[in-house]
Amino acid sequence: MDPLTLFALANGAVSAVKAGCKLYKDIKAAAGDVKDVLKDLDSQFHKLYDGKPVPPAAVKQLNEEKARVKELNQKANAEEHTGIYQEIGNHLGTYYDNLYKCLAVFENEERRSKTEIYTGDASLGKRALQRVLMRKQLEQMGTEIREIMIYQSPPELGALYTEVEEMMKKLGDQQKALINRQINVEYAASVQRARQMARLKNKLYGVGGVLVVLLFWIFCMWWVVEKRIEDYPEYGTGLVPRPVTDHDQIIAERNRKYWDQRAREYRERKIADK
């Protein structure tokens, strides 16, 4: 479980709750007859541009606002805010779910940091600072949701928030314990895999070393055989020297002397030519 991913999910749920609360509030406010609202928009618009030229952008903005009010009124009369109420509850559940997962991961990391040496890419201080900042941001999210749903929205949303919060406090403690257990199991499995990989690497290094030594020995044997064939052709070209008689050795010695003499004469001629 990556704390950054869990934090992003919680933050997305907060944004969805805020957007849902605003839409719910707008729809509730647009319930009933909207004629007076539309008439009030027209009256304010004419007062603003009384005797003045009206910019096309202002007319467009007025029409868009009137269309929005009518659309909200239709949604309110169709009881669409009920579905939004349920969506807000789902988003609250998502927020609390990821919140408690984050807290469980933080607690587990802090507990392990007291007994284990950290070997990750980021420094220990950087990770600790990251946890502190994320905790602060999660607290700010919770405060923001509470203020929006209780103080800035219809009363029924405040009641929804209270009910979900009470339920998630009970479930959250249970989830934290289960998540901690799951994290410990996954961590133990990762440690076991790391040990197995280390043992496998050691075996591979051992096999590689044996292969290198074997190849070096084969190369040395090949070099010795080639050198023997070059210097003592009477023993044959095979890997194992063939038996040689005294007669063969005498002929080989004469051949070596003959060719040594020819090589000496050739070098002397080259020197004389220079």
Side-chain angles (χ1 to χ4, degrees):
M1 295 182 183
D2 180 21
L4 293 175
T5 302
L6 296 173
F7 178 79
L9 292 173
N11 192 32
V14 171
S15 300
V17 169
K18 289 166 60 178
C21 288
K22 183 179 183 306
L23 181 58
Y24 185 94
K25 185 178 180 180
D26 291 342
I27 290 177
K28 289 282 288 185
D33 191 359
V34 294
K35 292 181 180 179
D36 292 336
V37 177
L38 297 176
K39 187 183 294 184
D40 183 60
L41 286 174
D42 286 330
S43 175
Q44 292 181 17
F45 184 80
H46 290 306
K47 285 181 180 179
L48 184 63
Y49 294 101
D50 186 19
K52 300 178 183 177
V54 181
V59 176
K60 180 182 178 182
Q61 184 177 3
L62 173 65
N63 293 331
E64 288 177 351
E65 180 63 20
K66 291 168 72 173
R68 189 183 74 87
V69 171
K70 291 178 182 179
E71 181 183 1
L72 290 174
N73 178 255
Q74 290 175 357
K75 290 182 178 181
N77 294 334
E79 299 290 331
E80 289 192 19
H81 62 284
T82 305
I84 298 173
Y85 183 90
Q86 295 174 349
E87 288 183 10
I88 292 173
N90 292 334
H91 291 313
L92 279 173
T94 301
Y95 162 73
Y96 279 112
D97 186 36
N98 289 288
L99 168 66
Y100 284 108
K101 285 181 181 178
C102 268
L103 295 178
V105 172
F106 291 160
E107 290 177 3
N108 197 277
E109 286 189 359
E110 289 176 356
R111 185 165 55 252
R112 289 210 309 267
S113 66
K114 297 176 182 178
T115 58
E116 298 176 9
I117 298 176
Y118 176 69
T119 57
D121 295 331
S123 66
L124 189 62
K126 183 178 179 180
R127 287 180 64 85
L129 178 61
Q130 184 184 64
R131 290 199 299 270
V132 171
L133 293 176
M134 290 180 68
R135 280 182 183 273
K136 292 292 184 183
Q137 290 175 320
L138 287 171
E139 291 175 1
Q140 291 176 359
M141 287 182 198
T143 302
E144 189 176 9
I145 287 181
R146 183 171 60 252
E147 290 180 352
I148 290 173
M149 296 200 66
I150 295 179
Y151 303 110
Q152 303 176 19
S153 298
E156 58 266 30
L157 291 186
L160 173 65
Y161 171 79
T162 302
E163 292 174 2
V164 173
E165 185 183 34
E166 290 177 355
M167 179 182 65
M168 290 304 299
K169 280 183 179 179
K170 297 177 183 178
L171 297 177
D173 292 336
Q174 300 173 1
Q175 286 294 308
K176 282 169 62 177
L178 294 174
I179 292 168
N180 268 310
R181 187 181 306 170
Q182 180 184 352
I183 291 173
N184 290 332
V185 170
E186 292 176 353
Y187 178 73
S190 66
V191 171
Q192 183 65 22
R193 286 194 298 270
R195 289 175 179 172
Q196 290 176 349
M197 289 299 297
R199 286 196 292 268
L200 180 59
K201 286 182 180 178
N202 290 335
K203 289 181 180 178
L204 291 175
Y205 290 150
V207 172
V210 170
L211 288 176
V212 170
V213 172
L214 181 61
L215 291 174
F216 180 73
W217 180 81
I218 292 173
F219 171 78
C220 291
M221 292 297 296
W222 171 83
W223 182 83
V224 169
V225 171
E226 290 295 319
K227 190 67 176 173
R228 190 209 70 210
I229 293 172
E230 179 182 349
D231 294 342
Y232 303 97
E234 64 272 19
Y235 288 98
T237 59
L239 179 64
V240 179
R242 63 180 176 83
V244 177
T245 63
D246 293 341
H247 180 265
D248 293 333
Q249 289 183 346
I250 292 172
I251 293 174
E253 184 65 26
R254 287 178 179 176
N255 288 336
R256 276 194 290 274
K257 289 180 178 179
Y258 170 77
W259 289 110
D260 288 344
Q261 180 63 30
R262 293 294 300 272
R264 208 165 27 249
E265 293 173 357
Y266 175 78
R267 288 194 296 271
E268 288 174 356
R269 285 199 303 272
K270 294 290 287 184
I271 293 173
D273 292 339
K274 292 181 179 181

